Amino acid sequence: MGRNNSKSEFMNILSFEKTHVKEAVELALADYYVERQYVKELPQVSDIPDLYNFAGNGLGVAAFENEKMIGFLCCCEPFENAFRATDVRGVFSPMGANAAVSENRSKIYAAMYQAAGEKWVKNGAVSHAICLYAHDEELQRQFFCYGFGLRCLDAVRPMELIDCESCVSYDFAELSKSECHFIYPLHLALYRHYCESPFFMSRRPETQEDFIVSAMQEEARYFVAKENGKIVAFIKISVPGETFVAKGNTYRHIRGAYCLPEHRGKGLYQNLLNFTISVLKKEGYTSLGVDFESFNPTARGFWLKYFNAYTNSVVRRIDERITLLRE
């Protein structure tokens, strides 16, 4: 099973290898179906993709007891400028890349993170992000004890209209691809919003030219609300999300959204969301997802009214000077 890297009173922690993938998939599917009991909108799945890729980077660990896998924790390759708002290297364990049996669950994760965290720091990663299921409160408490805090949520809803009053003061439309540059002023306003308290996320906005190029490459669709011909709110729809269920021919994802402050609280955005849903539903899509930061009170307050959260990603940024002691 590989070299024994760490040991607790009741388990061995090994480096995650390709020979572990089959057992890991079974654990990950079991965790997924527990969350699906709370979030009925999640689809049925029969596999967890990409675990072989995680086995190849040497950054994952697996927990065993009596030769049986009881947990695993893997991550993507380290990346620079974690969350596009820091100047440090980070790692991320996405949905499906970690799991454990139900018994002694928090202790298993505590031991696995201790072993995996050592690997991550040796690779220069000081921002550690781990995707947990939204209803797994036991693990959230465990990672809180290890200095993690909530940062991002993924949520989903069926492609059905929400219950709201009509808003006749605005016009709703989908922009053509050649019109996406009209979104750019609101794109800049959104980035200014990122900098405000309690958000405090200083992302550098794209130039208008780069914005147009990325929108075309992403095949983004923009649904807008207008007042007297002026765009005052938008929803950006893209094909993929950031979880393994946020893909496929029946799913679409909200990758950007903004409403000018003076137009909030009027029912505008509920109606814009309904307009977007009505168009996508006619095209055969059945699920709509969104992800957002937990410390964005505007987004959190709105999306959780109409979407069901199924992931909570927790993040810890350690003292980057520790890397000097690991060289």
Side-chain angles (χ1 to χ4, degrees):
M1 289 189 298
R3 184 171 61 89
N4 186 350
N5 296 326
S6 179
K7 190 173 183 179
S8 75
E9 294 180 356
F10 66 98
M11 75 183 89
N12 290 331
I13 306 297
L14 314 176
S15 290
F16 187 79
E17 301 176 356
K18 292 183 178 179
T19 55
H20 300 150
V21 168
K22 182 178 179 180
E23 289 178 277
V25 167
E26 293 176 357
L27 289 176
L29 284 174
D31 276 3
Y32 175 78
Y33 275 97
V34 170
E35 183 64 20
R36 194 167 180 262
Q37 293 177 17
Y38 296 95
V39 184
K40 304 300 184 183
E41 297 88 345
L42 290 173
Q44 292 188 10
V45 297
S46 59
D47 192 19
I48 304 294
D50 302 327
L51 290 190
Y52 280 103
N53 293 331
F54 294 123
N57 63 23
L59 298 173
V61 299
F64 282 83
E65 183 180 33
N66 298 325
E67 306 298 315
K68 180 180 179 181
M69 182 186 286
I70 57 175
F72 74 101
L73 172 60
C74 297
C75 71
C76 304
E77 292 283 351
F79 50 90
E80 304 299 329
N81 306 118
F83 294 104
R84 294 188 292 128
T86 68
D87 57 358
V88 300
R89 177 178 290 186
V91 291
F92 177 49
S93 177
M95 176 180 168
N98 61 84
V101 296
S102 58
E103 185 178 0
N104 291 319
R105 188 171 176 80
S106 60
K107 290 183 178 180
I108 295 169
Y109 264 87
M112 292 194 302
Y113 174 69
Q114 185 174 351
E118 180 71 18
K119 291 171 175 270
W120 300 348
V121 170
K122 284 183 178 179
N123 279 267
V126 296
S127 177
H128 302 169
I130 300 173
C131 182
L132 307 176
Y133 286 111
H135 295 86
D136 197 338
E137 296 180 359
E138 178 182 355
L139 287 190
Q140 293 170 36
R141 288 192 296 268
Q142 172 58 46
F143 280 100
F144 173 78
C145 292
Y146 271 179
F148 284 75
L150 179 62
R151 183 182 176 108
C152 301
L153 294 85
D154 288 283
V156 66
R157 65 168 288 113
M159 200 70 77
E160 301 292 342
L161 299 180
I162 64 175
D163 184 17
C164 67
E165 295 184 4
S166 298
C167 190
V168 297
S169 302
Y170 298 91
D171 297 315
F172 303 97
E174 180 180 1
L175 298 183
S176 67
K177 292 183 179 180
S178 63
E179 295 176 312
C180 69
H181 62 280
F182 291 126
I183 296 294
Y184 189 68
L186 271 69
H187 174 73
L188 294 179
L190 177 59
Y191 273 73
R192 289 192 293 269
H193 173 60
Y194 288 161
C195 297
E196 296 174 355
S197 179
F199 217 127
F200 296 131
M201 194 166 69
S202 180
R203 289 181 174 176
R204 180 174 297 178
E206 302 164 296
T207 65
Q208 181 167 317
E209 291 74 17
D210 289 340
F211 170 78
I212 295 171
V213 169
S214 64
M216 294 296 184
Q217 290 176 342
E218 195 177 337
E219 298 184 355
R221 298 171 65 176
Y222 289 96
F223 296 83
V224 300
K226 298 180 180 180
E227 182 185 55
N228 298 323
K230 177 185 176 182
I231 296 175
V232 298
F234 77 88
I235 292 177
K236 175 185 176 183
I237 297 292
S238 296
V239 176
E242 296 181 354
T243 67
F244 67 80
V245 296
K247 300 175 183 177
N249 295 329
T250 61
Y251 177 97
R252 285 297 179 266
H253 198 77
I254 297 173
R255 293 292 293 272
Y258 188 73
C259 178
L260 293 175
E262 60 268 30
H263 295 276
R264 297 172 188 169
K266 301 179 180 180
L268 176 159
Y269 219 83
Q270 289 87 340
N271 279 263
L272 176 56
L273 182 58
N274 270 351
F275 175 79
T276 305
I277 289 172
S278 65
V279 173
L280 296 176
K281 184 177 181 179
K282 289 179 181 177
E283 296 174 357
Y285 302 110
T286 59
S287 299
L288 182 63
V290 65
D291 62 89
F292 53 93
E293 283 79 12
S294 61
F295 46 72
N296 181 351
T298 303
R300 182 181 176 90
F302 181 83
W303 296 123
L304 290 183
K305 288 182 181 179
Y306 308 110
F307 290 71
N308 286 330
Y310 63 95
T311 76
N312 285 347
S313 289
V314 296
V315 179
R316 178 190 186 192
R317 179 169 171 175
I318 64 174
D319 184 348
E320 48 261 45
R321 293 171 297 183
I322 199 67
T323 59
L324 300 177
L325 303 179
R326 294 297 191 271
E327 292 180 351

